[in-house]
Amino acid sequence: MTSEFDLIARYFKRPAANAVLGVGDDAALLAATPGTELVVSTDMLVAGRHFLAEADPYHLGHKVLAVNLSDLAAMGAVPRWATLSLALPEVDEAWLAAFSRGFFELAGRFGVSLVGGDTTRGPLNLCVTVLGEAPAGRALRRSGARPGDGVWVSGDLGGAALAVCHLNGELVLDAADAEHCQIRLHRPEPRVVLGDMLCCVAHAAIDISDGLLADLGHVLAASDVGAELEFDRLPAHPALAPKRADPLVRRCLLAGGDDYELCFTAPPEREQAILTVAETAGVTVTRIGRITDQAGLRLLDGTGRDMDIRERGFDHFA
Ligand SMILES: [Mg+2]
């Protein structure tokens, strides 16, 4: 009789092209590239907390890896390996097949090998650890921002939060906008190539998982600096753009989580280098403000006046 572990192995045991030894022994063996530092990050998604238990397993397989790849991108690292730990309430073959398809499609795009993990019976819980490499001494840290740096973001902001508002009934989007925003929420695109290329250009970076103000706030605190942002420069998701003065839309833009764009700082003389890197990576980037030596975060309107900042990022323990 096939055990549940055999079933799980069927969906997750794949040849690990870039490992000395992948799944199947007591541990994996990985050979790091000389001259690099290993960059390691773990993120856990819990049913009922981060997603609904009935969520599409194909999207979940993508998202649980994407949020981890996003953290490596924010360090300027190239992802290489991952481990996956699953607590499953039951062994559901259709669920496992769809989940593993979503996971391996994204892993394959970035050459990430699954080299280990664990499974147990329990409330649905998904945990991925990713390992990547950055040139020794060059990984992007939150503490690297300097006064005078430009503050930049990739892509656009607020789409994932807008999808949540739509699903909660706080507003109604037309069908096309609703679909676009739900793709942002369920299938975030980690900025892997951009992060890798920013490694030698930017001073500091973070990925936007909890909202622009909250995540940029972490950079400011770690770097002991402040920032001025120009509200009119913030790149809004197209579904938000026409109504950016609406308080709900403003909240999505400034405090919406789950966008997984990169926020980074770089000295003004590297502006052209950043634009070139972004074009090569196929991602838009926008300079939204600058780092100051005065502590705190100021948000300026189109006339240069301070705007009230009451939005806060989503706090998982709130
Ligand atoms: Mg992060």
Side-chain angles (χ1 to χ4, degrees), residues 41 43 67-68 70-72 74 142 206-210 215 218 260:
S41 180
D43 217 333
V67 300
N68 279 278
S70 179
D71 278 327
L72 284 202
R142 296 178 181 184
I206 192 166
D207 66 322
I208 302 176
S209 53
D210 295 335
D215 289 315
H218 295 314
Y260 296 100

Side-chain angles (χ1 to χ4, degrees), residues 39 70-77 134 138-142 195 199 205 262:
V39 184
S70 179
D71 278 327
L72 284 202
M75 300 298 292
R138 300 304 297 267
L140 297 173
R141 304 175 187 209
R142 296 178 181 184
C199 190
L262 296 182

Side-chain angles (χ1 to χ4, degrees), residues 97-308:
F99 177 87
S100 72
R101 191 162 56 87
F103 184 94
F104 283 113
E105 276 182 9
L106 183 61
R109 276 175 52 206
F110 294 116
V112 175
S113 292
L114 184 66
V115 294
D118 196 12
T119 53
T120 182
R121 198 174 281 261
L124 184 58
N125 190 330
L126 319 168
C127 184
V128 166
T129 297
V130 284
L131 299 97
E133 295 176 330
R138 300 304 297 267
L140 297 173
R141 304 175 187 209
R142 296 178 181 184
S143 58
R146 299 285 173 265
D149 280 1
V151 179
W152 297 74
V153 291
S154 65
D156 54 53
L157 301 174
L162 201 59
V164 173
C165 292
H166 176 76
L167 294 170
N168 289 342
E170 285 180 84
L171 57 75
V172 179
L173 296 172
D174 68 39
D177 282 347
E179 192 186 337
H180 280 140
C181 289
Q182 288 189 58
I183 288 171
R184 292 302 307 262
L185 177 65
H186 296 308
R187 299 188 63 78
E189 178 63 27
R191 301 305 189 187
V192 173
V193 178
L194 179 66
D196 172 22
M197 297 181 78
L198 285 175
C199 190
C200 297
V201 185
H203 274 164
I206 192 166
D207 66 322
I208 302 176
S209 53
D210 295 335
L212 173 66
L213 296 186
D215 289 315
L216 176 58
H218 295 314
V219 171
L220 302 184
S223 300
D224 198 20
V225 293
E228 284 175 3
L229 299 185
E230 297 169 56
F231 181 72
D232 290 352
R233 295 185 70 96
L234 299 183
H237 185 278
L240 284 85
K243 14 184 197 311
R244 56 190 296 149
D246 181 301
L248 185 67
V249 168
R250 223 180 91 177
R251 197 181 84 206
C252 291
L253 198 51
L254 294 169
D258 274 339
D259 280 323
Y260 296 100
E261 295 294 351
L262 296 182
C263 177
F264 56 96
T265 83
E269 64 271 19
R270 296 200 187 140
E271 176 152 346
Q272 191 51 51
I274 289 165
L275 294 172
T276 303
V277 155
E279 192 178 352
T280 308
V283 183
T284 60
V285 291
T286 310
R287 187 169 48 76
I288 59 171
R290 65 186 188 94
I291 297 292
T292 62
D293 53 12
Q294 299 238 304
L297 179 57
R298 295 174 64 197
L299 183 67
L300 307 178
D301 68 13
T303 65
R305 272 198 290 263
D306 277 287
M307 296 170 71
D308 188 17

